[in-house]
Amino acid sequence: MGFRLLPDHLNREDQQALLDLVMALAQEAPFTRYVMPRTGRPFSIDMTNAGSQGWIADRSGYRYSPVQPVTGRPWPAIPATLLDLWHTHTGYPHEPECCLINHYRGEGARLSLHRDEDEETFDAPILNISLGDTAVFRLGGPKRTDPTRSFPVTSGSIMIFAGPSRLFYHGVDRLRVGSSQLLPDGGRLNLTLRRVTRPTR
Ligand SMILES: O=C(O)CCC(=O)C(=O)O
Ligand SMILES: [Fe+2]
């Protein structure tokens, strides 16, 4: 069990259906440009969430919140299509609690090298779904100083970060702007499904 990339896994119709779901979710929970803790510098991408827990950032840190910080309303539920993909590809016996949605609008949109480490448990894999422009994705190892490699991730591709790769450093260097026509205004959407709390049995 480790890292898996399933290139072009979802067909065009499934991609469009996911895009429609994201557009609907964004009506309820608007995309927001967070700022980074301490520096207060804005991210180059916009974010929203579905689920009982949404990943947020502000001057005081990175964390999960049950509500959208601007509207104060709970995040919309994670759509069944995404729950199905989670169960199919992760085999994890519990539901994901967060679907973080990143919107990379175009040139200059990136996500620097980081680990997903704000969750209470790292037992569950992370499921990553890409829609729209190809991303130049960077994957390293468990330590920030480990060597990294970069590779293209196209629209409809799925990545699974399971086992040790759950805590590998990763990021997005840039988009190949204009490589996909899926999003009406161009750019890329990325969905990551996450388990946040430790399941109680
Ligand atoms: O956009 C991507 O593919 C990566 C997203 C990511 O690493 C994150 O949201 O933590
Ligand atoms: Fe990440």
Side-chain angles (χ1 to χ4, degrees):
M1 202 169 68
F3 170 75
R4 276 192 296 153
L5 166 64
L6 310 177
D8 306 319
H9 186 76
L10 303 169
N11 66 31
R12 172 78 195 207
E13 197 182 321
D14 292 346
Q15 294 176 38
Q16 184 63 49
L18 283 183
L19 174 61
D20 294 346
L21 282 175
V22 170
M23 307 277 225
L25 291 173
Q27 296 296 314
E28 275 186 73
F31 278 101
T32 301
R33 183 74 54 112
Y34 299 142
V35 297
M36 293 179 212
R38 289 176 302 281
T39 65
R41 282 188 47 195
F43 281 83
S44 61
I45 63 179
D46 297 323
M47 298 178 181
T48 189
N49 293 272
S52 55
Q53 306 279 336
W55 189 86
I56 63 166
D58 62 22
R59 296 290 306 223
S60 65
Y62 301 122
R63 64 189 174 280
Y64 283 90
S65 162
V67 297
Q68 210 282 0
V70 178
T71 65
R73 291 206 308 264
W75 308 98
I78 302 176
T81 319
L82 291 171
L83 298 179
D84 289 347
L85 285 170
W86 168 266
H87 289 296
T88 302
H89 293 289
T90 68
Y92 188 72
H94 305 278
E95 301 284 292
E97 295 167 301
C98 171
C99 177
L100 171 62
I101 307 170
N102 296 332
H103 188 190
Y104 301 76
R105 289 183 187 275
E107 219 66 68
R110 57 191 302 281
L111 192 58
S112 49
L113 206 67
H114 67 280
R115 300 197 299 180
D116 299 345
E117 58 184 12
D118 301 318
E119 301 72 30
E120 253 177 45
T121 176
F122 304 128
D123 289 347
I126 290 205
L127 183 75
N128 176 309
I129 303 164
S130 292
L131 297 172
D133 280 346
T134 300
V136 179
F137 195 87
R138 188 164 290 278
L139 182 62
K143 294 200 299 287
R144 185 177 281 283
T145 50
D146 287 337
T148 63
R149 63 196 167 100
S150 79
F151 49 90
V153 180
T154 52
S155 190
S157 297
I158 290 186
M159 292 189 277
I160 301 120
F161 295 81
S165 73
R166 170 66 184 75
L167 284 167
F168 282 5
Y169 278 87
H170 59 277
V172 172
D173 290 353
R174 60 187 171 82
L175 298 191
R176 290 188 178 157
V177 174
S179 50
S180 163
Q181 310 304 316
L182 184 73
L183 277 63
D185 297 326
R188 171 176 184 259
L189 287 165
N190 177 261
L191 288 67
T192 47
L193 288 159
R194 300 141 179 251
R195 179 75 201 187
V196 178
T197 67
R198 220 169 274 118
T200 52
R201 49 172 87 236

